[in-house]
Amino acid sequence: QSVLTQPPSVSAAPGQKVTISCSGSSSNIGNNYVSWYQQFPGTAPKLVIYENNKRPSGTPDRFSGSKSDTSATLGITGLQTGDEADYYCGTWDSGLSAFGGGTKLTVL
Amino acid sequence: EVQLVQSGAEVKKPGESLKISCQASGYSFTNYWIGWVRQMPGKGLEWMGIIYPGDSDTRYSPSFQGHVTISVDKSISTAYLQWSSLKASDTAMYYCARPHYDSSGYDLAYFDYWGQGTLVTVSS
């Protein structure tokens, strides 16, 4: 049971927009930054959003992040088939880290 | 270029011990925390713990405290994850990852680099 709650799956058509939610508590998301990771099957996770809404170099500007109180959201616009992957939110709580349970994005 | 290179896949029997490694390069190893993440087959990411190579300060997830040991060898910029007695339920992919401080420089905020993963299979 993850301390951060994500929907197991989301789906949308190519070119559309999708959002993935991540719900936590005042002790984790409420007082810490949120990051997002993309993982393709058989590969290591990759950071796509850090400090709630910043993109590392290499992350397309189609990806965005936001945070409000104890929840965070990853948004992806102009969906491409290559975006189909698992997405995980992550944060910290009193010096310990935690991840959400992950969301499988299907691009129909 | 920052790289985290992990040791190869392992197949072990229940009750055996194991130590897997993660060799870092491209940055000052002693100035950054480094940690481990478990991913069981078909499941999500689970944070196990982190260590600061500079002074070996270690933090464990309550879920893994007492079950594994995280250590480092500063002389070869390598972090380790160790089990004294493996169980079948330890079968998983294990990733090392480097936590990065936030823009204030005071708090850990995200994992910016990841190793390629080490698959551990425990079966009789």
Side-chain angles (χ1 to χ4, degrees), chain A residues 35-72:
Chain A
S35 50
W36 291 90
Y37 304 87
Q38 177 190 60
Q39 186 181 34
F40 296 109
T43 68
K46 173 190 170 186
L47 179 71
V48 292
I49 293 288
Y50 68 101
E51 292 184 16
N52 302 334
N53 55 18
K54 298 179 182 177
R55 288 185 303 274
S57 60
T59 298
D61 59 8
R62 301 184 295 104
F63 288 75
S64 64
S66 64
K67 189 186 101 166
S68 178
D69 295 328
T70 59
S71 293

Side-chain angles (χ1 to χ4, degrees), chain A residues 11-18 62 76-83 105-108:
Chain A
S11 62
Q16 296 300 303
K17 175 183 177 178
V18 71
R62 301 184 295 104
I76 311 173
T77 60
L79 273 173
Q80 302 176 0
T81 55
D83 298 329
L105 168 62
T106 301
V107 181
L108 302 168

Side-chain angles (χ1 to χ4, degrees), chain B residues 50-120:
Chain B
I50 53 174
I51 187 167
Y52 189 72
D55 60 7
S56 292
D57 183 18
T58 310
R59 304 173 187 174
Y60 291 95
S61 161
S63 299
F64 293 93
Q65 178 88 47
H67 297 288
V68 296
T69 301
I70 296 172
S71 61
V72 293
D73 183 338
K74 291 188 291 187
S75 69
I76 54 173
S77 299
T78 298
Y80 300 97
L81 179 64
Q82 181 175 354
W83 295 261
S84 59
S85 181
L86 287 160
K87 303 175 183 178
S89 57
D90 293 317
T91 294
M93 181 71 81
Y94 293 88
Y95 294 101
C96 63
R98 190 184 80 166
H100 197 283
Y101 288 101
D102 64 18
S103 47
S104 76
Y106 288 108
D107 296 314
L108 295 172
Y110 55 93
F111 294 89
D112 57 353
Y113 290 96
W114 295 70
Q116 83 277 19
T118 296
L119 181 62
V120 174

Side-chain angles (χ1 to χ4, degrees), chain B residues 1 9 19 23 30-31 33 44 46 62 70 78-79 85 88 113 120 122:
Chain B
E1 177 194 9
K19 193 174 190 178
Q23 184 167 38
T30 54
N31 287 350
W33 293 79
E46 299 174 272
I70 296 172
T78 298
S85 181
Y113 290 96
V120 174
V122 184

